[in-house]
Amino acid sequence: MSPDQDTPPQPAPEVATRSARDGWRTLAHALRPRATRAQLITGLLCALLGFAIALQVRSTGEESLTTMRQSELVSLLDQTTRQADQLADQVADLEQTRQDLRSGSTSQEAALESATRSAAAQGILSGRLPAQGPGVAITVNDPSGSVSALTLLNLLEELRNAGAEAVQFNDQRITATSPIVGTSSGIEVNGVRQEPPYRWFAIGDPDTMATAMAIPGGAIAKVQIDGGTAQVDKQDLLQITALRTLSTPQFATPEPDPQG
């Protein structure tokens, strides 16, 4: 057998290349997504509908303005301007109202706080409210009953001059109208008889009041001259619990407000 008879025939190179290209094209065509006829028709209708709507809206807007006369356009512009001005005025009014409310609330709170502080101060000074704070406790011993009411009154004045803000004598609250008098039966404070030892409690600066009591020839020295003794103790915290009920003034009235 000759070599030409044993070897099978081979395809030409051009034919092989063309066959491979046709195969790849066939595969790509098979894998490409296909749209159905119904989908194409639906998409086309949607596009046409959207275009028609946009054209109608634009045409309507242009016709509504282009068909209006000049006087109507001027009137429309004036109306729009007035509405804008009215809205701006409403904004300004609301802003002013907000500021007034805020200012009024702040003023009311400040006035209430001031009134509360004033009421508390007046309550302490008048003896209607209890008080606490630093101060001094003074014990006056009078075994012979020779310490006079004037000496005790001088001691009270020394405490006041030293800045005492609240004072209690035994179980009596001392105020500006508290009388300290000597009677045939003994010492009376606020009309109530008192027995020694006499105990003073005064709220204020402890160092200032203790120094005032120790002044030579002062209140403590007069107690000793009368035959009594006195001890002054500085306290970090004193509690004055005695209260005073004040009577209503019969003759004095508040002065009228000149602006009222």
Side-chain angles (χ1 to χ4, degrees), residues 149-209:
L150 180 59
T151 297
L152 296 176
L153 182 60
N154 289 336
L155 192 151
L156 173 61
E157 293 302 321
E158 290 287 353
L159 289 174
R160 287 173 172 168
N161 292 337
E165 298 174 350
V167 179
Q168 181 172 325
F169 182 94
N170 286 349
D171 60 348
Q172 295 296 310
R173 184 69 170 268
I174 303 298
T175 65
T177 59
S178 295
I180 300 177
V181 297
T183 66
S184 57
S185 60
I187 302 294
E188 289 186 359
V189 177
N190 292 334
V192 180
R193 173 121 185 268
Q194 303 295 315
E195 298 288 343
Y198 306 122
R199 291 183 173 86
W200 295 85
F201 305 96
I203 293 178
D205 183 78
D207 294 331
T208 301
M209 290 188 291

Side-chain angles (χ1 to χ4, degrees), residues 98-123:
R98 184 177 70 88
Q99 293 179 359
D100 292 342
L101 290 174
R102 179 179 296 177
S103 176
S105 176
T106 302
S107 300
Q108 290 178 1
E109 291 178 358
L112 179 60
E113 183 179 357
S114 176
T116 302
R117 290 196 304 267
S118 177
Q122 294 298 325

Side-chain angles (χ1 to χ4, degrees), residues 33-42:
R34 292 187 178 91
T36 64
R37 184 178 180 181
Q39 291 174 339
L40 291 175
I41 294 174
T42 302

Side-chain angles (χ1 to χ4, degrees), residues 209-232:
M209 290 188 291
T211 301
M213 293 296 101
I215 293 177
I220 299 301
K222 292 182 179 179
V223 170
Q224 295 172 346
I225 293 174
D226 283 356
T229 61
Q231 180 179 347
V232 181

Side-chain angles (χ1 to χ4, degrees), residues 4-130:
D4 295 337
Q5 295 175 348
D6 294 338
T7 303
Q10 299 293 329
E14 294 80 359
V15 176
T17 301
R18 186 169 53 254
S19 298
R21 189 181 298 114
D22 293 341
W24 283 108
R25 187 180 294 112
T26 302
L27 179 60
H29 181 73
L31 295 176
R32 183 177 59 188
R34 292 187 178 91
T36 64
R37 184 178 180 181
Q39 291 174 339
L40 291 175
I41 294 174
T42 302
L44 181 59
L45 291 176
C46 290
L48 291 175
L49 180 61
F51 177 76
I53 293 174
L55 184 61
Q56 179 66 26
V57 171
R58 180 178 180 182
S59 176
T60 302
E62 290 179 353
E63 289 178 359
S64 62
L65 293 177
T66 56
T67 57
M68 296 178 65
R69 293 174 302 191
Q70 183 177 1
S71 60
E72 294 176 340
L73 291 173
V74 173
S75 176
L76 178 61
L77 180 60
D78 291 340
Q79 181 180 0
T80 304
T81 303
R82 286 196 303 269
Q83 290 178 351
D85 293 340
Q86 290 175 359
L87 290 175
D89 293 339
Q90 291 179 6
V91 171
D93 292 341
L94 291 174
E95 179 65 23
Q96 183 63 41
T97 300
R98 184 177 70 88
Q99 293 179 359
D100 292 342
L101 290 174
R102 179 179 296 177
S103 176
S105 176
T106 302
S107 300
Q108 290 178 1
E109 291 178 358
L112 179 60
E113 183 179 357
S114 176
T116 302
R117 290 196 304 267
S118 177
Q122 294 298 325
I124 291 174
L125 294 176
S126 64
R128 294 182 292 104
L129 295 178

